[in-house]
Amino acid sequence: MLVGLWWLAGCQVEARPLPTLVATADPLWLARPPTSPVMGQTAVAPPTSRPLQPLASATPPPPLRLAAADGVPAELIELARQMAAQQPQRFAWAGPSAGQVTLAINGAEPIGEPLAQWLYAVAAPFATIADEVTLAEVTAGWQTGSAAVGTLILDRETAAAFSALWGPPAGQVAIVQPAELATALWANRPAWSLVPFHRLSPDLKVLRLDGQSLLDSHFNQLLYPLVVHVGLEGSATALATFRLAWPGPVTNRDPGRLTRVAMTGVTALTRATAYEMELNGITTPGQVVGPLLQAADIAHASNEVSFAPDCPFPSPVGGTTFCARDSYLTLLQAIGIDVVELTGNHVNDWGAENLLHSLELYEGAGMAHFGGGRDLAAAQQPALFEHNGNHIAFVGCNPVGPAFAWATETRAGSRPCDYPALFAQIEQLGEEGYLVMATLQYWEFYYYPPTSQQAADFQAVATAGAAAVSGSQGHHAQGFAFANGAFIHYGLGNLFFDQMEMLGTRQSFVDTYVIYDGRLLSVELFVGLIEDFCCPRLVTADERAQALQAVFQASGW
C-alpha cells in the first residue's frame, strides 16, 4: 500500500485564440447607369453574384463517460457526478462501469500521483480502555475477524476500499451501513473498526496506531499506514482531460481545517498548591501537563481564585477564603492558556475589586475570559475564537453562588445561571456558525457518578445546542454522557489544587476536543495524578486503566 502525501498541482494551459475564418465569394460589381454601346464593342453584362455558403462545423466529441470502481469513497463519487452535471458537454456519469475514466483504489494511471487520499482511523466505542493498537494486530483482525481490542465491524464502503488493498475480510467480520456503525460498535463491545477520519464522532475513541494518531497536532502522514489512494484508469488522453477539470487534490484530513481545544478542571493557585509553587518554582505544577496545553490551538483554564496585590505568602493549611499572588499568572502564561473561565465561586473571596484587577492581568497577557466580568452584562459575554475556519464560542455560568461571587449590574463577579437566557444565547451562537463549548460551575460531589439532577441540567445545555458541556466545578473526577450529539463530562477533577485526601480528587482529566470543518470530531482524554499537593504527573498504564474504568462505570457503561 502506498504511503505518503502527494499533492496534485492543477495544470494551467495557456489559452491561444483560434484563427478567424473569413467566408469568401466572387467580387460584387457596383451598379452603374446603362450606357449606349460603342461602335465595335459588345456590351458586357455584370456577373451574377452568388449567395454565401456556410462552412461545415466540426462535430463536437461525445462527453467522456465517468465511472467509479468498488470502494471509492462516496464523497469522491459525488464530486465526479457534480463535474458531469456542471459540464455535460464534456463529461457524463456512467455509473459503476463502462467508464472511459474510472476512479479506482490505487488506480493504475501512468503518472502515479493519486487523485485523492483518504485517511482512516482505528476506532472503538468511547468506553474502551485500550489506547493503542499495532498494524500487525489490525491486519490480523482483518484476516480473522477479531483482535486484542475486540470484534471487527465495518461499514460497507470501508470494507470495499480495504478489500481492494488487502483482499476480502474474514467471514466473521460484520458489515453494516455507515449510519449504523457507531451503534453496532457500542452494542458489540469490545469492538473496533476502520473509520474515515472526517466521519469520526465523539462517541468513538481513536486508537493510536503504531504510536500515531490522526488527532495529533504533529501527525506525520508519511509514516501512517492507513492511507487509501484513489487514482484513475483510462486512456492517457481521457485522463488528461479529466485531470484538467478535477477541482484539485482531495483529502479527508486537511490540517488547515483542524482545531484542537484543551479543556481543564479546577485551578486554585492558593493554600498548599501556592506554597509548593513558592518553594519549588512558580511554573512547577505545569511541567507535565504544560506541553499538552501548549500543543492545543486553544487552551482553557478555570481559575477560581482572583489575583490580589496584597495576597500574603501562602500557608499550606488554612480555610476556604482564597487569593493568589500576581506572580502566579506566570504559570498560566507558561502553559499556554488562551482563555480563562471565571465562573468559580471563589472569584470574589478577596473582594470584587481584585477580580477587576485580575481581569486587567488577563487582558494584559492576551488571555480571553468568559463566565464572569466587570459587571453582569460583561459576565454574560462569550469568548469567541476563529481558527482554521472553525468558529468557537465559550460560555459558562455558576448556578450555585455564593451570592457575593455573582456579578450584578454594578459589581464584578461570576455569571449566575439564568438557564433560559443561557439556552437562548447558545442557540443564537449556533445560528451564527459557532461551535459552543459550555461550562457549568455546578454543585460539588465527591464521587464519580453524576446525580440525576446534574445529568438533567447538563443534558439540557446540550439540548440547547452546545457541542460540549464541561463540569468545571468537579474537584472529584466524574463520568460522561452523550446527548443531542454533544459530549458531556460532568467533572474533570482538579488541574492545580491541593486536595490529596482521595484518589478521585487527585485524578486530573484534560479533555482535548478535536474540531474539523466546523464539527466536533473526537475527544482525547489525558489522565494525570496530582502529587505534592500541586502537580499532576502522567499516570502509569495501570493507573490510567483504573481511572478510565471508574469513570466509564459511573457513566453506565
Side-chain angles (χ1 to χ4, degrees):
M1 177 174 59
L2 294 175
V3 178
L5 176 63
W6 293 87
W7 293 95
L8 173 65
C11 298
Q12 301 292 329
V13 179
E14 182 181 356
R16 294 182 296 175
L18 295 175
T20 303
L21 299 179
V22 179
T24 60
D26 292 337
L28 299 178
W29 289 79
L30 296 177
R32 291 184 297 174
T35 58
S36 300
V38 178
M39 185 65 67
Q41 293 183 345
T42 303
V44 180
T48 303
S49 62
R50 295 177 299 183
L52 297 176
Q53 300 296 319
L55 293 179
S57 60
T59 302
L64 285 174
R65 300 187 308 276
L66 308 182
D70 287 345
V72 173
E75 293 85 353
L76 298 180
I77 294 175
E78 179 59 26
L79 192 56
R81 291 172 67 98
Q82 291 177 6
M83 283 178 52
Q86 294 167 2
Q87 304 179 60
Q89 74 284 3
R90 301 181 67 190
F91 305 108
W93 182 251
S97 60
Q100 294 167 288
V101 176
T102 301
L103 282 70
I105 303 299
N106 282 353
E109 58 180 311
I111 52 178
E113 293 182 347
L115 190 75
Q117 299 172 99
W118 239 233
L119 282 70
Y120 291 77
V122 181
F126 184 81
T128 297
I129 301 298
D131 293 309
E132 299 195 20
V133 68
T134 66
L135 181 60
E137 290 171 331
V138 169
T139 55
W142 182 271
Q143 296 165 358
T144 64
S146 64
V149 289
T151 302
L152 175 58
I153 302 174
L154 298 167
D155 70 62
R156 294 187 181 281
E157 185 181 298
T158 300
F162 279 89
S163 293
L165 299 174
W166 296 346
Q172 301 93 318
V173 173
I175 309 295
V176 300
Q177 296 296 337
E180 302 169 352
L181 180 61
T183 300
L185 288 168
W186 276 84
N188 293 277
R189 288 188 296 152
W192 64 286
S193 186
L194 303 177
V195 180
F197 172 77
H198 68 294
R199 292 189 192 170
L200 290 167
S201 54
D203 56 349
L204 296 180
K205 176 179 182 176
V206 174
L207 303 181
R208 303 187 73 83
L209 178 60
D210 289 339
Q212 277 219 90
S213 170
L214 290 168
L215 306 180
D216 286 348
S217 57
H218 58 272
F219 172 74
N220 186 349
Q221 184 172 322
L222 296 176
L223 302 177
Y224 190 73
L226 297 184
V227 181
V228 172
H229 294 171
V230 178
L232 300 174
E233 294 177 349
S235 70
T237 301
L239 299 187
T241 300
F242 180 89
R243 278 190 175 271
L244 284 174
W246 186 247
V250 175
T251 178
N252 68 336
R253 187 191 184 278
D254 178 358
R257 299 181 182 182
L258 191 148
T259 299
R260 292 168 54 89
V261 177
M263 298 289 290
T264 63
V266 174
T267 287
L269 305 180
T270 188
R271 216 162 56 189
T273 299
Y275 184 76
E276 291 292 329
M277 292 167 64
E278 293 285 357
L279 292 183
N280 299 306
I282 301 301
T283 61
T284 299
Q287 288 181 350
V288 172
V289 75
L292 172 69
L293 297 171
Q294 293 160 2
D297 300 300
I298 304 171
H300 155 277
S302 179
N303 192 17
E304 293 200 17
V305 178
S306 291
F307 299 102
D310 60 346
C311 186
F313 190 88
S315 169
V317 295
T320 57
T321 300
F322 297 143
C323 67
R325 306 181 90 183
D326 284 5
S327 59
Y328 300 169
L329 181 69
T330 304
L331 171 60
L332 302 185
Q333 292 175 300
I335 62 177
I337 295 303
D338 301 290
V339 59
V340 179
E341 179 182 345
L342 300 173
T343 61
N345 48 25
H346 292 282
V347 292
N348 283 344
D349 280 8
W350 216 253
E353 67 276 10
N354 283 306
L355 177 54
L356 293 174
H357 171 68
S358 300
L359 292 172
E360 292 176 356
L361 293 180
Y362 295 136
E363 291 163 2
M367 298 176 187
H369 51 79
F370 72 98
R374 290 176 170 83
D375 53 33
L376 181 59
Q380 293 170 339
Q381 295 302 307
L384 304 178
F385 290 82
E386 191 280 329
H387 178 267
N388 280 350
N390 298 307
H391 294 80
I392 300 158
F394 294 84
V395 299
C397 65
N398 174 352
V400 179
F404 70 80
W406 284 330
T408 68
E409 292 181 357
T410 59
R411 184 184 67 206
S414 61
R415 176 184 183 177
C417 278
D418 176 348
Y419 283 121
L422 179 67
F423 297 162
Q425 182 181 42
I426 292 171
E427 182 178 0
Q428 179 63 36
L429 288 167
E431 292 175 354
E432 294 173 4
Y434 284 94
L435 206 67
V436 179
M437 306 286 147
T439 66
L440 293 180
Q441 188 75 214
Y442 208 71
W443 283 267
E444 298 167 4
F445 305 111
Y446 286 84
Y447 39 78
Y448 294 105
T451 68
S452 58
Q453 186 61 53
Q454 183 182 14
D457 289 342
F458 278 59
Q459 291 177 30
V461 177
T463 300
V469 187
S470 187
S472 52
Q473 84 295 331
H475 292 293
H476 190 289
Q478 290 187 286
F480 308 94
F482 299 98
N484 196 40
F487 177 84
I488 297 173
H489 195 170
Y490 292 109
L492 282 72
N494 292 313
L495 178 64
F496 303 132
F497 199 35
D498 62 4
Q499 294 174 308
M500 294 283 292
E501 62 272 15
M502 301 173 65
L503 178 61
T505 58
R506 294 180 61 203
Q507 291 167 332
S508 176
F509 280 81
V510 177
D511 300 344
T512 299
Y513 297 97
V514 180
I515 298 164
Y516 186 76
D517 207 15
R519 187 172 71 85
L520 178 56
L521 200 71
S522 189
V523 183
E524 287 188 304
L525 301 179
F526 166 90
V527 184
L529 193 68
I530 294 175
E531 299 279 18
D532 300 325
F533 301 93
C534 65
C535 309
R537 64 163 173 83
L538 189 64
V539 292
T540 66
D542 288 343
E543 288 169 338
R544 178 177 173 85
Q546 180 182 8
L548 292 179
Q549 189 66 50
V551 291
F552 291 159
Q553 287 181 349
S555 308
W557 302 335

